[in-house]
C-alpha cells in the first residue's frame, strides 16, 4: 500500500507552476513590423521568471488548434519539437532559449526589449538546428507561451497568448488602375477651349462668306495708307445737239 | 473720317500690342516646355514604364507651338500695319491651326495627369522593382529610379512601407520577408550607405526607417509639369482668342 501512496505523492511534487503572465505582441513603442508575413514581435518576459534562476526559458510556438495537445514534457532540440518539421509533422516547436540573465527585471529606459520570432533565415532548412528561430511558414493563427525547464524538467510556464495572426499579402493585380475620373480643371479646360475654337471657326467662315460685301462695320471702311484717289471729271461739251439740226 | 481714323489707329495699336504679347508668351511657353522635357526630377523612366508619357508629348508640342506663336505674331504685326488682306488671312488661318495644336496639348496634359494615380505607381513598383529577370531595360530603369527616389527623399514605397507587406511583389520573390520586410533603401542610412540600425529598421522602430511614402515626391513635380503646360497654354489661348477676333473684325473692315 505504500507504493501507490508514493506514486500519488510524486506527481504532486513535480507539478509545474502556471504563472499568470501571458505573452503579448509589443505595444510600446509602436512598430511598423509588429507582424509581417512570416515574423512577429513579442515583449520579453521580464520580471516573470524571477524565482527560476537555474532554469532555461524556452518559447513554445504552436498552431492555435494544437495548444491543448502540447505536452510540457516534450524536450527541446528533438525531432518532436523541431522547427523544420513544423507544421507538417509537429504542431508546435520550441525555440529562443535564454536564461534569467537575459531577461533582467529592471528594464533600462530607452532600450527596446523585444523578441522577434522568425528572424533567423539561415537555419530554416538546417535539420541539424531544430531550435532554429526560423520564419513562420504561414499566416497562422499561432499561440505562444514561455516554458522554464530545469535540466529537462518543466518547472514553470506562462499562459498561452492570444491567437496571433500574421499578414497575408494580396497580389498586385488586384490593385485597380482603371479610370479614376476627370478632375474639374481638365473638364474646364476642355469645354472652354472647345467653345473658343468653335467661335473662331465660325468667325473665319463668316469672314470668308462675306468676303466681298461690306461687313457690319461697312460704313466705316478705311482706306489703305497709300491709295490713289480718282476724281470724276465731267467733260465740257463745246457743241450742243440742237445746233447740229440747223 | 477723322473719328474713324482714330478708331482705326486704336484698333491697329491694340492688335499690335496683342501680337507682341502673343510673341512673348510664345517664347515663354517654349522655354517652359524645354525645361519640362529636360526631365529635371528624373521621373521620366517611371512614366515611360507606365506606357503613358503623353505628358511629355504635350510638352514637346508646346515647344513647337511656342515658336510658331512667336513667328506668327511677327507676321500679324506686319499684316496689321500694312493693312494687307492677304497677309492677315494667312495669319488668321495659321493661327487657327496653331490654336488647335495648343488646345490638343493642354487637354492631353490635363487628361494624362489625371490618369497618374497612386495605384498606378504602386502596381508598377510592386511588379517591377528589383525584378529578378528584367524583361527589358525599362525594368532596370524603374529599379534605379525608385532607389534614387527613396534615398534622396527619405521615403519608402508609394504610400508607406506597408505597401511591401500588404501586397506580394517581385522584390519579395528574391528577398525573404523575414530578412527584408521592406527594401534596405527604406532604412535610415549613414554616410557610407549602410543602415544605422538594421534590426531597428527590420522591426520598424520609429527613427530607424522611413515611414512616409514617396507619392508626394512624385506627384509634386508631375503636377507642376502638367498644370504648367495646361494652364499656361490655356491662358495664352484665351488671349489669342481675343486678338484673333479683333483681327477678324479688322480684316473685314479693310477696303477691298
Amino acid at each position: 500500500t505504500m507504493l501507490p501512496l508514493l506514486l500519488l505523492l510524486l506527481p504532486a511534487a513535480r507539478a509545474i507552476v502556471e504563472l499568470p503572465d501571458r505573452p503579448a505582441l509589443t505595444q510600446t513603442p509602436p512598430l511598423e513590423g509588429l507582424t509581417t508575413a512570416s515574423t512577429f514581435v513579442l515583449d520579453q518576459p521580464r520580471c516573470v521568471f524571477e524565482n527560476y534562476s537555474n532554469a532555461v526559458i524556452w518559447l513554445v510556438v504552436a498552431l492555435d488548434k494544437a495548444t491543448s495537445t502540447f505536452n510540457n514534457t516534450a524536450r527541446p532540440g528533438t525531432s518532436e519539437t523541431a522547427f523544420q518539421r513544423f507544421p507538417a509533422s509537429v504542431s508546435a516547436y520550441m525555440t529562443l532559449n535564454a536564461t534569467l540573465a537575459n531577461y533582467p527585471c529592471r528594464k533600462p529606459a530607452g532600450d527596446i526589449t523585444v523578441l522577434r520570432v522568425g528572424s533567423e533565415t539561415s537555419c530554416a532548412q538546417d535539420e541539424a538546428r531544430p531550435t532554429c528561430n526560423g520564419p513562420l511558414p504561414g499566416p497562422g493563427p499561432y499561440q505562444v507561451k514561455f516554458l522554464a525547464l530545469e535540466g529537462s524538467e518543466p518547472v514553470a510556464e506562462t499562459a498561452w497568448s492570444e491567437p496571433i495572426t500574421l499578414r497575408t499579402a494580396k497580389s498586385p493585380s488586384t490593385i485597380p488602375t482603371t479610370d479614376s475620373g476627370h478632375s474639374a480643371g481638365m473638364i474646364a479646360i476642355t469645354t472652354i477651349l472647345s467653345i473658343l475654337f468653335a467661335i473662331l471657326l465660325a468667325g473665319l467662315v463668316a469672314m470668308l462668306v462675306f468676303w466681298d460685301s461690306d461687313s457690319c462695320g461697312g460704313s466705316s471702311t478705311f482706306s489703305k495708307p497709300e491709295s490713289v484717289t480718282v476724281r470724276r471729271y465731267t467733260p465740257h461739251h463745246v457743241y450742243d445737239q440742237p445746233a447740229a439740226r440747223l | 473720317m477723322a473719328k474713324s481714323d482714330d478708331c482705326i489707329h486704336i484698333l491697329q495699336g491694340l492688335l499690335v500690342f496683342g501680337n507682341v504679347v502673343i510673341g512673348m508668351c510664345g517664347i515663354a511657353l517654349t522655354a517652359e516646355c524645354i525645361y519640362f522635357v529636360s526631365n529635371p526630377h528624373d521621373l521620366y523612366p517611371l512614366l515611360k514604364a507606365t506606357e503613358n508619357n503623353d505628358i511629355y508629348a504635350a510638352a514637346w508640342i508646346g515647344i513647337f507651338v511656342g515658336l510658331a506663336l512667336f513667328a506668327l505674331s511677327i507676321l500679324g504685326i506686319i499684316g496689321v500695319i500694312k493693312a494687307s488682306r492677304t497677309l492677315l488671312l494667312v495669319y488668321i488661318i495659321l493661327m487657327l491651326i496653331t490654336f488647335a495644336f495648343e488646345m490638343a496639348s493642354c487637354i492631353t496634359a490635363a487628361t494624362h495627369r489625371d490618369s497618374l494615380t497612386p495605384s498606378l505607381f504602386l502596381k508598377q513598383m510592386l511588379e517591377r522593382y528589383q525584378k529578378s529577370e528584367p524583361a527589358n531595360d525599362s525594368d532596370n530603369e524603374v529599379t534605379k529610379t525608385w532607389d534614387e527616389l527613396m534615398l534622396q527623399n527619405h521615403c519608402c514605397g508609394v504610400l508607406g512601407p506597408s505597401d511591401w507587406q500588404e501586397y506580394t511583389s517581385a522584390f519579395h520573390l528574391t528577398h525573404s520577408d523575414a530578412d527584408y520586410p521592406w527594401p534596405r533603401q527604406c532604412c535610415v542610412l549613414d554616410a557610407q550607405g549602410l543602415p544605422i540600425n538594421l534590426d531597428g529598421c527590420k522591426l520598424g522602430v520609429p527613427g530607424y526607417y522611413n515611414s512616409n511614402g514617396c507619392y508626394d515626391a512624385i506627384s509634386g513635380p508631375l503636377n507642376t509639369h502638367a498644370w504648367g503646360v495646361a494652364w499656361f497654354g490655356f491662358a495664352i489661348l484665351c488671349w489669342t482668342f481675343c486678338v484673333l477676333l479683333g483681327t477678324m473684325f479688322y480684316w473685314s473692315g479693310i477696303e477691298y
Side-chain angles (χ1 to χ4, degrees):
Chain A
T1 52
M2 285 299 282
L3 199 57
L5 208 56
L6 272 173
L7 285 173
L8 271 174
L9 280 172
L10 278 171
R14 294 153 75 93
I16 82 170
V17 177
E18 296 197 2
L19 300 166
D21 308 81
R22 196 184 275 265
L25 295 174
T26 306
Q27 299 302 318
T28 50
L31 297 175
E32 180 87 33
L34 187 66
T35 56
T36 69
S38 57
T39 66
F40 58 93
V41 183
L42 293 173
D43 276 324
Q44 289 180 358
R46 300 269 174 139
C47 310
V48 172
F49 293 100
E50 288 305 299
N51 300 329
Y52 304 97
S53 42
N54 293 329
V56 177
I57 303 164
W58 290 86
L59 179 72
V60 181
V61 180
L63 296 170
D64 73 338
K65 49 188 191 294
T67 51
S68 47
T69 57
F70 178 72
N71 190 339
N72 281 331
T73 58
R75 297 166 60 142
T78 62
S79 61
E80 284 84 37
T81 56
F83 165 76
Q84 287 78 12
R85 305 186 68 209
F86 176 82
S89 318
V90 304
S91 55
Y93 67 98
M94 297 172 75
T95 184
L96 275 178
N97 51 317
T99 62
L100 191 62
N102 297 114
Y103 302 139
C105 192
R106 259 194 38 196
K107 280 180 253 197
D111 270 11
I112 299 172
T113 56
V114 295
L115 291 175
R116 187 162 184 248
V117 180
S119 61
E120 278 189 85
T121 48
S122 51
C123 56
Q125 310 292 330
D126 187 358
E127 302 255 330
R129 296 250 349 252
T131 57
C132 180
N133 179 19
L136 294 157
Y142 302 101
Q143 282 182 288
V144 299
K145 72 173 179 182
F146 289 101
L147 184 63
L149 300 177
E150 274 182 14
S152 53
E153 300 300 321
V155 293
E157 65 172 0
T158 63
W160 286 103
S161 66
E162 299 292 330
I164 298 169
T165 313
L166 301 182
R167 296 211 212 189
T168 316
K170 303 185 282 245
S171 164
S173 54
T174 59
I175 302 174
T177 52
T178 50
D179 235 355
S180 59
H182 300 290
S183 62
M186 176 254 166
I187 293 178
I189 286 180
T190 310
T191 45
I192 294 177
L193 287 184
S194 309
I195 293 172
L196 295 186
F197 192 58
I199 295 174
L200 285 178
L201 281 180
L204 180 70
V205 166
M207 254 171 59
L208 296 176
V209 163
F210 297 115
W211 181 295
D212 291 331
S213 63
D214 287 336
S215 67
C216 36
S219 58
S220 61
T221 51
F222 43 86
S223 54
K224 298 184 185 178
E226 289 103 46
S227 58
V228 177
T229 48
V230 177
R231 287 180 51 220
R232 298 207 49 173
Y233 177 75
T234 312
H236 183 74
H237 288 287
V238 177
Y239 303 104
D240 275 337
Q241 281 274 33
R245 280 194 249 126
L246 282 176
Chain B
M1 291 304 264
K3 185 173 165 229
S4 70
D5 262 348
D6 278 344
C7 276
I8 295 158
H9 288 312
I10 291 173
L11 186 59
Q12 279 183 324
L14 283 176
L15 288 177
V16 168
F17 170 71
N19 277 301
V20 165
V21 171
I22 290 179
M24 294 196 301
C25 287
I27 298 284
L29 182 68
T30 302
E32 186 199 21
C33 291
I34 289 180
Y35 171 69
F36 287 134
V37 164
S38 69
N39 190 24
H41 294 279
D42 301 320
L43 292 174
Y44 184 65
L46 290 184
L47 289 177
K48 199 166 88 135
T50 66
E51 278 136 37
N52 188 358
N53 56 348
D54 282 341
I55 285 192
Y56 281 90
W60 275 107
I61 294 177
I63 293 178
F64 294 113
V65 162
L67 292 174
L69 283 177
F70 178 68
L72 284 178
S73 71
I74 295 178
L75 176 68
I77 292 174
I78 296 174
V80 163
I81 291 178
K82 287 176 103 174
S84 153
R85 273 203 154 193
T86 335
L87 274 184
L88 284 180
L89 187 62
V90 167
Y91 165 80
I92 289 174
I93 291 178
L94 288 180
M95 266 296 212
L96 280 179
I97 296 176
T98 311
F99 190 101
F101 271 102
E102 179 59 18
M103 201 169 90
S105 160
C106 291
I107 294 176
T108 307
T111 311
H112 286 279
R113 171 64 196 97
D114 286 345
S115 73
L116 294 174
T117 53
S119 309
L120 188 69
F121 289 112
L122 179 64
K123 193 165 175 171
Q124 180 200 80
M125 178 187 80
L126 292 170
E127 288 176 354
R128 298 209 194 191
Y129 177 74
Q130 300 238 11
K131 199 162 156 184
S132 53
E133 286 133 40
N136 46 29
D137 245 353
S138 81
D139 289 337
N140 287 334
E141 292 286 325
V142 168
T143 302
K144 265 198 332 189
T145 307
W146 270 106
D147 283 339
E148 277 178 27
L149 201 60
M150 291 200 280
L151 288 174
Q152 281 170 10
N153 296 294
H154 306 293
C155 57
C156 186
V158 173
L159 303 168
S162 55
D163 291 342
W164 300 103
Q165 287 297 316
E166 276 183 55
Y167 298 97
T168 60
S169 52
F171 172 73
H172 271 135
L173 287 179
T174 46
H175 298 79
S176 73
D177 170 82
D179 278 334
Y180 295 88
W182 33 77
R184 288 283 183 265
Q185 282 79 2
C186 293
C187 302
V188 176
L189 302 176
D190 60 14
Q192 278 82 34
L194 299 169
I196 54 177
N197 188 329
L198 186 57
D199 286 323
C201 178
K202 286 199 238 176
L203 283 173
V205 179
Y208 295 122
Y209 76 111
N210 300 319
S211 55
N212 45 314
C214 296
Y215 184 66
D216 287 336
I218 296 174
S219 70
L222 277 183
N223 277 339
T224 318
H225 176 142
W227 297 118
V229 170
W231 285 112
F232 187 49
F234 178 75
I236 292 177
L237 288 183
C238 286
W239 181 265
T240 308
F241 171 77
C242 299
V243 171
L244 278 179
L245 273 188
T247 312
M248 286 180 186
F249 179 70
Y250 179 77
W251 184 90
S252 60
I254 295 177
E255 198 177 74
Y256 178 68

